[in-house]
């Protein structure tokens, strides 16, 4: 058995702290963890996996970085989170077997690399799905509460020093919340709304029971279901199948005054249709962490809409994200070495 076979090379292709690199070594001594902290782009904030795009490597540094990632059996992060760099290293390194993608919806990055079927079959890609569940679930609750308590009205009155007449607010324990997508994030969303006493419905392809979910909805039943719910939380990834799932047609059937929150991918909601529904009152409030085009274009009407909360795709970020991803990665390392199925494997047909 060769040394390479005995100790697969895990190459750290992002600005991961030395402390966490050593944690991988400590947790799984059967691998060799290779890193050079001088080569990845430096992070600008926690979990800035792509690093500072303004950071330019010299020609020698770029050559060294390419050689480093091309030596991997296992890559921790797509280099610079760049699809082109992923394609280059997959083709340059026939021994590469597994890439840990930092994004929960990392299938889109893999798809953008435009790899061949042979390359997709040779390399396994896993995502960080589930790591962001708690933070995104909190934003989903925050978004629905902001709509239920009419945050824009409160802010407007406060800015104008206006003591309005009192009015009734909606309460979570009187609301039915539909979670579109019961993956790792959706399950976390469901349990939190259930803890507040809300009635929780959720869409599921498997039909298996989910903790905190009172009713499972098939996608075929979605148009009927939205006519009866007080809030819709979108957690789905962006795929060809989910694009504009929340469409003009669907929004025509919603219960008037529904609250919409999106913590999945922006392409799931047709923003033009959403704006129309906001304007005529079908949607009372929308809290959006993701958008069809990011950054949100300066001319988008969403910026200035009085009943929209814009979050710059930041709800998932946490000071503990890197440690959480390392824990997931270490568990998958054990599975990889022991010949067990990996968690969060990207479907390279639908890319989710």
């Amino acid at each position: 058995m060769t040394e390479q076979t005995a100790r697969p090379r895990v190459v750290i292709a992002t600005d991961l702290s030395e402390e966490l690199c050593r944690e991988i070594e400590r947790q799984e001594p059967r691998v060799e963890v290779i890193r050079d902290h001088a080569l990845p782009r430096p992070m600008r904030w926690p979990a800035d996996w792509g690093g500072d795009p303004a950071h330019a490597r010299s020609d020698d540094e770029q050559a060294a970085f390419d050689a480093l990632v091309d030596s991997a059996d296992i890559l921790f992060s797509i280099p610079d989170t760049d699809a082109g760099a992923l394609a280059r290293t997959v083709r340059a390194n026939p021994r590469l077997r597994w890439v840990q993608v930092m994004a929960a919806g990392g299938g889109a990055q893999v798809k953008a690399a435009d790899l061949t079927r042979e390359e997709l079959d040779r390399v396994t890609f896993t995502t960080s799905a589930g790591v962001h569940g708690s933070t995104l679930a909190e934003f989903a609750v925050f978004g629905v509460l902001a709509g239920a308590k009419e945050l824009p009205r409160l802010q407007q009155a406060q800015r104008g020093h206006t003591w309005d007449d009192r009015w009734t607010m909606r309460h979570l324990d009187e609301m039915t919340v539909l979670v579109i997508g019961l993956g790792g994030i959706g399950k976390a969303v469901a349990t939190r709304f259930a803890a507040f006493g809300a009635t929780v419905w959720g869409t599921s392809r498997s039909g298996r029971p989910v903790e905190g979910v009172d009713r499972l909805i098939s996608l075929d039943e979605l148009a009927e279901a939205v006519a009866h719910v007080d809030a819709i939380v979108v957690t789905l990834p962006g795929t060809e199948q989910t694009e504009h799932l929340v469409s003009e047609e669907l929004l025509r059937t919603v219960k008037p005054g529904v609250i919409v929150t999106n913590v999945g991918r922006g392409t799931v909601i047709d923003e033009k249709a959403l704006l129309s529904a906001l304007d005529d009152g079908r949607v009372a409030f929308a809290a959006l962490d993701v958008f069809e085009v990011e950054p949100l274009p300066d001319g988008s009407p969403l910026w200035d809409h009085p009943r929209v909360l814009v979050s710059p795709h930041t709800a998932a970020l946490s000071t503990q994200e890197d440690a959480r991803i390392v824990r997931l990665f270490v568990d998958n390392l054990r599975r990889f070495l022991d010949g067990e199925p990996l968690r969060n494997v990207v479907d390279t047909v639908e890319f989710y």
Side-chain angles (χ1 to χ4, degrees):
M1 180 179 291
T2 66
E3 178 64 19
Q4 176 202 333
T5 304
R7 297 187 68 205
R9 289 172 62 91
V10 174
V11 172
I12 308 300
T14 188
D15 187 17
L16 188 69
S17 71
E18 177 62 19
E19 177 185 3
L20 288 174
C21 291
R22 291 182 179 179
E23 180 65 13
I24 296 171
E25 291 174 324
R26 188 182 71 81
Q27 292 285 345
E28 190 44 85
R30 291 180 291 175
V31 300
E32 185 180 9
V33 181
I34 311 299
R35 66 276 195 187
D36 184 337
H37 296 297
L39 295 177
R41 294 173 178 168
M43 288 188 184
R44 295 160 292 176
W45 49 72
D48 178 26
W49 300 110
D52 186 354
H55 177 79
R57 300 185 186 96
S58 68
D59 291 344
D60 287 345
E61 288 171 334
Q62 187 62 51
F65 184 63
D66 291 346
L68 180 72
V69 300
D70 291 351
S71 72
D73 299 298
I74 301 165
L75 262 182
F76 184 89
S77 181
I78 294 174
D80 299 330
T81 62
D82 178 76
L86 174 61
R88 190 207 61 77
T89 193
V90 167
R91 287 161 187 160
N93 179 10
R95 76 185 200 183
L96 181 65
R97 289 294 176 265
W98 167 26
V99 178
Q100 170 65 47
V101 183
M102 298 297 103
Q109 293 175 317
V110 178
K111 182 179 181 180
D114 197 25
L115 300 172
T116 66
R117 174 44 52 190
E118 183 278 328
E119 291 162 345
L120 291 169
D121 291 342
R122 171 167 60 87
V123 182
T124 298
F125 302 91
T126 58
T127 74
S128 65
V131 164
H132 310 91
S134 62
T135 51
L136 289 174
E138 287 180 10
F139 184 87
V141 172
F142 165 69
V144 173
L145 278 172
K149 307 307 179 185
E150 298 190 52
L151 178 62
R153 180 175 177 178
L154 292 170
Q155 291 177 313
Q156 183 179 16
Q158 182 176 348
R159 284 193 294 265
H161 298 192
T162 302
W163 189 269
D164 273 349
D165 290 337
R166 299 170 70 191
W167 71 90
T168 59
M169 295 181 174
R170 287 191 271 182
H171 303 269
L172 291 185
D173 62 3
E174 298 174 352
M175 298 176 68
T176 298
V177 178
L178 171 62
V179 183
I180 301 181
L182 288 173
I185 297 168
K187 290 174 182 176
V189 169
T191 57
R192 281 155 180 79
F193 277 106
F196 275 99
T199 299
V200 181
W201 296 358
T203 64
S204 170
R205 295 196 299 180
S206 70
R208 289 190 294 269
V210 175
E211 181 183 357
V213 178
D214 300 287
R215 177 185 170 188
L216 292 175
I217 305 293
S218 70
L219 290 180
D220 292 339
E221 301 173 298
L222 196 55
E224 186 274 333
V226 297
H228 303 284
V229 302
D230 303 288
I232 297 170
V233 178
V234 176
T235 70
L236 290 173
T239 69
E240 291 181 5
Q241 288 70 33
T242 64
E243 184 171 356
H244 286 188
L245 180 67
V246 180
S247 61
E248 180 179 2
E249 182 180 5
L250 186 72
L251 289 170
R252 281 201 298 264
T253 68
V254 296
K255 181 179 180 180
V258 72
I259 298 164
V260 174
T261 298
N262 192 358
V263 292
R265 281 296 179 266
T267 54
V268 180
I269 296 180
D270 181 338
E271 289 178 2
K272 183 178 179 181
L274 176 62
L275 279 162
S276 177
L278 283 158
D279 288 340
D280 66 22
R282 283 172 289 152
V283 174
F285 183 80
L288 308 173
D289 184 55
V290 289
F291 302 88
E292 289 191 77
V293 176
E294 296 183 3
L296 184 64
D298 185 61
S300 171
L302 292 169
W303 281 113
D304 299 311
H305 199 287
R307 293 194 306 280
V308 173
L309 177 65
V310 171
S311 169
H313 203 152
T314 196
L317 297 190
S318 161
T319 56
Q320 295 302 308
E321 179 177 330
D322 51 358
R324 292 177 181 180
I325 291 178
V326 164
R327 285 196 293 270
L328 171 64
F329 179 69
V330 166
D331 179 65
N332 261 346
L333 262 183
R334 180 194 61 77
R335 292 166 179 263
F336 179 85
L337 295 168
D338 292 343
E340 298 177 9
L342 303 187
R343 297 163 60 188
N344 297 347
V345 174
V346 172
D347 181 320
T348 56
V349 176
E350 296 190 16
F351 292 97
Y352 71 88

